[in-house]
Amino acid sequence: MIELTVDGCRICILPVVNGLLSETGKVESAYGDFEAYGASLGIEGIQAIKNRVQLESDFEVSELDIAYAQRMEELTGEHVEIPSPAMCVLVDLCARDGRNVIALDMNDADFTEMYCDTVRAWDFVKEHRLAKKGMKRKFRSTEPTAFAVEWDSFIHEVKGYRQVSEKRERYIADQIRDVARYKKSLLALIEVERAENIAALLR
């Protein structure tokens, strides 16, 4: 847990490894002591989790996502699930208690526009090659948190993907600042590879 104060609001960023069922326990342990709850998802992603029957059509899986899932499964022995079980648990807990999870990430339309403006056509061409390279690469990490961060660094060898992540981090940090103006405490679920950078922006 990364704890900091923004405009008098207690902010707790809970880094989670996307895809792993074993991450749900930390969400359940952290839940219950906050005025507000947020996640690094867009509004459509949160709605899709609420409406489980549409999950397969609402969450697109790229070739890089598939490669990441296979390598994470090799490391942990766990099946990687989409959407993130940790995010699902937060949405379910809040729904049970009549709360809404605040969408801290961009909506689909804004993300698509930003992505198309940032990632060049040549970067799209590289994706297949990058995914194949990722399947063969020897990673140093021996546990899931470190692997998620190391995989992220590997993907960021492509400038466009790195810039997309940086823009998401700035957007999410701005959303957290906005929540801090009218709430006294916030638990924010953020994928582990983005969490430290977002905390640094808030500081």
Side-chain angles (χ1 to χ4, degrees):
M1 189 96 78
I2 305 169
E3 299 194 26
L4 56 153
T5 301
V6 177
D7 290 339
C9 176
R10 174 182 168 231
I11 305 291
C12 290
I13 294 175
L14 183 61
V16 294
V17 179
N18 277 334
L20 299 183
L21 188 62
S22 57
E23 292 289 287
T24 59
K26 65 172 67 172
V27 181
E28 293 168 339
S29 296
Y31 181 81
D33 192 31
F34 297 87
E35 185 179 356
Y37 296 86
S40 55
L41 294 168
I43 186 66
E44 295 91 349
I46 291 173
Q47 192 58 47
I49 289 174
K50 286 182 179 178
N51 189 3
R52 293 291 206 276
V53 297
Q54 295 182 2
L55 283 179
E56 290 186 6
S57 61
D58 285 342
F59 283 86
E60 296 182 5
V61 180
S62 70
E63 197 169 357
L64 287 171
D65 291 333
I66 293 170
Y68 164 83
Q70 290 181 356
R71 296 305 303 268
M72 182 65 80
E73 288 176 2
E74 290 170 5
L75 176 66
T76 64
E78 285 192 61
H79 174 65
V80 172
E81 300 179 19
I82 296 175
S84 169
M87 301 290 182
C88 290
V89 166
L90 180 66
V91 171
D92 290 345
L93 288 171
C94 286
R96 180 197 69 188
D97 296 339
R99 300 174 178 270
N100 289 318
V101 177
I102 299 170
L104 300 175
D105 208 345
M106 301 174 198
N107 62 46
D108 285 353
D110 288 345
F111 177 80
T112 299
E113 181 179 357
M114 179 274 287
Y115 189 93
C116 292
D117 288 344
T118 305
V119 179
R120 300 172 302 168
W122 181 241
D123 292 332
F124 285 115
V125 175
K126 290 180 182 177
E127 180 172 322
H128 175 70
R129 189 185 308 164
L130 193 64
K132 287 184 66 176
K133 184 178 176 183
M135 290 301 299
K136 297 176 181 178
R137 187 184 180 101
K138 290 185 178 180
F139 291 94
R140 298 185 303 274
S141 306
T142 57
E143 55 87 28
T145 296
F147 175 74
V149 173
E150 190 177 359
W151 177 269
D152 190 63
S153 296
F154 164 67
I155 296 304
H156 285 173
E157 291 175 7
V158 176
K159 183 180 178 181
Y161 295 154
R162 182 173 68 252
Q163 290 176 332
V164 165
S165 294
E166 290 168 350
K167 289 178 180 180
R168 281 190 63 228
E169 288 165 0
R170 289 194 293 272
Y171 183 91
I172 292 169
D174 286 344
Q175 292 301 107
I176 291 174
R177 288 192 193 96
D178 186 57
V179 173
R181 295 189 183 101
Y182 61 93
K183 297 292 185 181
K184 294 180 180 178
S185 62
L186 169 71
L187 176 68
L189 256 65
I190 308 290
E191 61 268 36
V192 66
E193 56 269 33
R194 304 274 75 80
E196 288 290 350
N197 290 345
I198 290 169
L201 289 169
L202 290 169
R203 292 189 187 103

